[in-house]
Amino acid sequence: MVKRKSLDDNEPECGKGIPFPIQTFLWRQTSAFLRPKLGKQYEASCVSFERVLVENKLHGLSPALSEAIQSISRWELVQAALPHVLHCTSILLSNRNKLGHQDKLGVAET
C-alpha cells in the first residue's frame, strides 16, 4: 500500500508563509492591471517586477520590503509572485488582443 504524507511530514520551510511586506508589494504591482482601462502605470509595475524578481535588485525598495525579501528563499519569492505575474501577463495579452495588436509583443509583455 502507498504511504501518504501526513501534515507532520512537511519540510520546515513550508509553513512559514510569505511576509506581509512582500504580499503588499505583489498586490500593489498587480493592482495597476486591474483597472478598467490600462494606463501607463502598468509599465512601472512591469519594471518593478523585473527588477525585484528577475534581477534581484533591492536598491530603492523600502527597508521593510528589502528585509522581508532577504528573509525568505529566492524560490519562495518566485513561487509567491508567480500567480501575480501570470495574472498581469494574461491581462496584458488580453488587452493587446482587444486592441488588435496580436503581431508583435511590446516591452511590457516581454
Side-chain angles (χ1 to χ4, degrees):
M1 184 182 322
V2 177
K3 182 180 176 188
R4 296 178 186 229
K5 279 188 169 182
S6 70
L7 293 176
D8 298 331
D9 293 341
N10 288 343
E11 297 174 7
E13 289 184 14
C14 291
K16 287 194 317 189
I18 302 300
F20 187 67
I22 295 174
Q23 294 178 27
T24 304
F25 168 76
L26 293 172
W27 173 248
R28 285 187 179 153
Q29 301 313 308
T30 306
S31 65
F33 294 88
L34 300 178
R35 296 194 172 88
K37 200 170 190 179
L38 284 179
K40 291 293 180 182
Q41 188 177 5
Y42 76 91
E43 291 178 359
S45 293
C46 291
V47 170
S48 293
F49 271 139
E50 184 176 10
R51 285 185 65 228
V52 173
L53 300 174
V54 177
E55 299 172 0
N56 199 25
K57 291 183 179 176
L58 304 180
H59 179 70
L61 299 176
S62 70
L65 179 57
S66 295
E67 289 174 17
I69 290 173
Q70 292 171 348
S71 73
I72 63 172
S73 71
R74 188 99 174 105
W75 177 240
E76 288 175 307
L77 178 62
V78 170
Q79 285 179 316
L82 182 65
H84 296 273
V85 172
L86 288 177
H87 188 80
C88 295
T89 304
S90 70
I91 292 172
L92 279 176
L93 294 176
S94 174
N95 188 48
R96 288 187 59 81
N97 190 29
K98 288 177 188 173
L99 295 174
H101 301 296
Q102 296 113 348
D103 52 347
K104 294 180 182 176
L105 294 178
V107 174
E109 290 87 356
T110 55

